[in-house]
Amino acid sequence: MKIGVVGVGYVGLSTAVCFAMKFPTVAIDLEKARVSALNEGQVPIHEKGLEALLVKGLSSKRLKFSLNPGELIDADAIFIAVGTPGNQDGSIDLSQVRASCKDIGDVLKSSTKRPLVLMRSTVVPGTARRVVKPLLEDGSTKKCGTGFGLCSNPEFLREGQAIQDTLKPSRIILGSFDDFSLRSASSLYRTFYGKKPPPVLATTPEGAELIKYGSNSFLATKITFVNLLARACELFPGTDVNDVARGMGLDPRIGAQFLQAGPGFGGSCLPKDVRAFIKSLRDMGVDGSMLESVLQINEVQPEHVVALAEARSGTLLGKEVAVLGLAFKAETDDLRESRSIALLERLSQRGASIRAYDPVAMEKAKTELDYVVYSSSAKDCIKGADLAIVMTGCRQFKSLKPSDFVRLMRSPVLIDARRIYDPRAYSRGINYVGVGLGERAAL
Ligand code: UGA
């Protein structure tokens, strides 16, 4: 069996290196520099375990990267994993999906096999049927179900854990158009996962597309919900959102995960997917205002972190503010829709003098934000600062001791926007504020 992957972003690349553990795999991309670097074993993104698998795949000769879609000609299964960036109105840009379908259509036309196409890119409900299938059928002059197979097969990979999530996914969703497509996809995954396959759910293509948007919108809603509760907790002395979340999470119908209050959700997926889903619902005549509220609440969360800082420090004008964490979450270099960037903009508007540190995302940040002074370590960042704001839960930040803040800062005001510290320990000698934590005075 030979595997093809179109698009080597973090989804395509994780898929390619993992499938190359078992099958010959060729991954196609348009970007020359990226393809050459990958063929040299250089990873373009920060992803745990990726480099090792890439090097292994290349040296086993089972994995290669190419600019030429013609290399997909003898593939048995082709994953479409190209980007679907958001447009201004919330809709998604399908130009990369269309271009890849055109390339794959040409390949299917000359193929002597009946390959399976798996739609991995995130697309709104109805896209596989309205866009992908007709483009593949027109390009190949073959029918889906007889000439080739097609399944909507969304991914649920978390950045930073994409390899682990590919090798041990929570579920495989197969939204198929016909029996042949479903049989081919089931057989591919059975062969890949062997004795311990993940749960497989078969549904329609639209069902699969909705599972993807439903999952990400639900996760975003859960985070926003806990952030809303955090605001309420802050009004009651001694009340802690972490206790409230734990108490709720013990109910198996609610579940404990994704109830960590913080500065809001960011990244390349959750915000974009919620916006796209709202737009798609609107286009279908369905009122998605509940999700609009989720986005609105998320949008003001960085402003709320600034308000917490001002409540303790007074005006931020001319203050030395240390921001720990720049990426959208810990241990990644991805700055897309990072709440930390939203915070930095607000701090800068208030005339604060900003220094920042992130163990992984600094180099990227330097190319994007020129009004920030970059520190060489977490300790260097807080040294001499009037105020420190923790925006991600990086290990390096967790290992800072209360005495570090007391000793190094000019005036130890600490805003823990991720709740990584124990308030009791970090309140001694420190003006400590945690998101979702009522004033300690009444404890
Ligand atoms: C998300 C989903 O978790 C994946 O399942 C999905 O496959 C992926 O999007 C995608 O669509 O490709 P990811 O964007 O890597 O994955 O990030 P998450 O780990 O979900 O975190 C998203 C944001 O929510 C981050 O800013 C994180 O800090 C925040 N978050 C998460 C919270 O504020 N509280 C929580 O309890 C959990």
Side-chain angles (χ1 to χ4, degrees), residues 114-441:
R114 283 203 296 168
L116 169 69
V117 180
L118 294 136
M119 184 59 187
R120 210 100 170 102
S121 304
T122 300
V123 289
V124 296
T127 308
R129 192 179 301 275
R130 278 199 307 267
V131 179
V132 178
K133 184 166 171 270
L135 281 173
L136 294 178
E137 289 187 329
D138 291 351
S140 65
T141 64
K142 290 178 182 171
K143 279 263 159 240
C144 174
T146 49
F148 64 92
L150 174 61
C151 277
S152 278
N153 177 219
E155 52 79 22
F156 304 99
L157 318 179
R158 292 161 294 176
E159 278 190 39
Q161 275 145 294
I163 299 296
Q164 184 196 320
D165 286 348
T166 306
L167 296 176
K168 280 192 179 148
S170 51
R171 72 281 206 198
I172 300 289
I173 305 297
L174 298 177
S176 61
F177 284 93
D178 48 74
D179 282 350
F180 168 71
S181 304
L182 181 59
R183 272 198 319 273
S184 308
S186 306
S187 145
L188 168 74
Y189 279 114
R190 251 197 324 272
T191 317
F192 181 62
Y193 288 110
K195 285 203 182 90
K196 283 191 182 162
V200 175
L201 187 126
T203 178
T204 59
E206 290 77 11
E209 291 161 335
L210 276 164
I211 288 169
K212 173 69 188 186
Y213 280 97
S215 299
N216 276 2
S217 299
F218 191 77
L219 291 174
T221 304
K222 239 183 146 179
I223 298 167
T224 289
F225 194 86
V226 80
N227 285 337
L228 197 60
L229 284 172
R231 299 290 282 276
C233 291
E234 286 163 15
L235 301 175
F236 297 102
T239 303
D240 187 341
V241 70
N242 286 348
D243 294 338
V244 175
R246 213 172 295 128
M248 289 168 60
L250 285 169
D251 182 335
R253 292 171 303 174
I254 296 172
Q257 291 190 42
F258 266 69
L259 283 179
Q260 179 62 59
F265 58 83
S268 64
C269 306
L270 261 47
K272 180 194 83 157
D273 290 355
V274 177
R275 283 195 291 270
F277 194 34
I278 294 170
K279 170 79 169 78
S280 159
L281 288 170
R282 195 182 304 133
D283 292 346
M284 294 187 286
V286 179
D287 178 7
S289 54
M290 178 199 148
L291 291 174
E292 278 166 21
S293 303
V294 168
L295 289 181
Q296 273 158 21
I297 295 167
N298 195 55
E299 222 30 60
V300 296
Q301 203 61 8
E303 182 61 37
H304 178 60
V305 176
V306 174
L308 289 176
E310 285 176 330
R312 291 294 172 109
S313 283
T315 176
L316 300 181
L317 183 69
K319 292 257 163 71
E320 287 286 336
V321 181
V323 176
L324 296 174
L326 294 165
F328 83 98
K329 65 177 179 182
E331 324 297 346
T332 163
D333 63 350
D334 198 337
L335 298 169
R336 286 176 287 179
E337 305 221 22
S338 162
R339 299 290 79 198
S340 195
I341 309 283
L343 176 95
L344 291 176
E345 283 162 4
R346 287 168 172 82
L347 293 174
S348 159
Q349 281 157 10
R350 281 164 164 89
S353 165
I354 311 164
R355 72 280 269 296
Y357 179 69
D358 188 303
V360 189
M362 291 270 277
E363 291 316 308
K364 261 198 191 157
K366 282 180 188 167
T367 62
E368 288 186 25
L369 307 162
D370 57 6
Y371 55 88
V372 174
V373 173
Y374 293 95
S375 306
S376 57
S377 68
K379 282 188 185 167
D380 178 42
C381 189
I382 61 171
K383 199 184 281 172
D386 297 303
L387 172 69
I389 307 180
V390 179
M391 290 298 283
T392 63
C394 289
R395 279 188 297 275
Q396 284 204 13
F397 309 155
K398 287 181 181 164
S399 67
L400 287 173
K401 298 186 192 65
S403 57
D404 293 326
F405 290 100
V406 175
R407 194 169 43 87
L408 294 169
M409 290 181 71
R410 186 152 64 188
S411 59
V413 180
L414 171 58
I415 313 293
D416 185 357
R418 283 284 177 181
R419 299 299 309 276
I420 63 171
Y421 301 122
D422 174 358
R424 284 166 208 275
Y426 285 74
S427 293
R428 279 182 222 122
I430 303 174
N431 195 347
Y432 174 90
V433 187
V435 160
L437 187 65
E439 288 280 342
R440 278 184 54 83

Side-chain angles (χ1 to χ4, degrees), residues 82-100:
V82 294
T84 51
N87 292 319
Q88 205 66 41
D89 66 352
S91 63
I92 48 168
D93 175 355
L94 288 176
S95 54
Q96 294 179 49
V97 171
R98 289 182 204 278
S100 59

Side-chain angles (χ1 to χ4, degrees), residues 20-90:
M21 291 165 77
K22 285 218 169 146
F23 309 116
T25 300
V26 59
I28 308 297
D29 202 278
L30 287 173
E31 243 187 80
K32 206 171 171 186
R34 183 170 273 235
V35 166
S36 317
L38 284 166
N39 277 325
E40 298 288 316
Q42 291 160 19
V43 285
I45 49 172
H46 182 86
E47 194 59 62
K48 202 165 50 196
L50 177 62
E51 190 171 3
L53 282 185
L54 172 68
V55 170
K56 217 170 169 180
L58 292 171
S59 55
S60 70
K61 305 255 184 273
R62 273 195 305 272
L63 178 61
K64 85 170 188 191
F65 299 88
S66 171
L67 292 165
N68 175 16
E71 299 246 17
L72 300 169
I73 189 69
D74 49 349
D76 298 276
I78 303 172
F79 289 94
I80 299 179
V82 294
T84 51
N87 292 319
Q88 205 66 41
D89 66 352

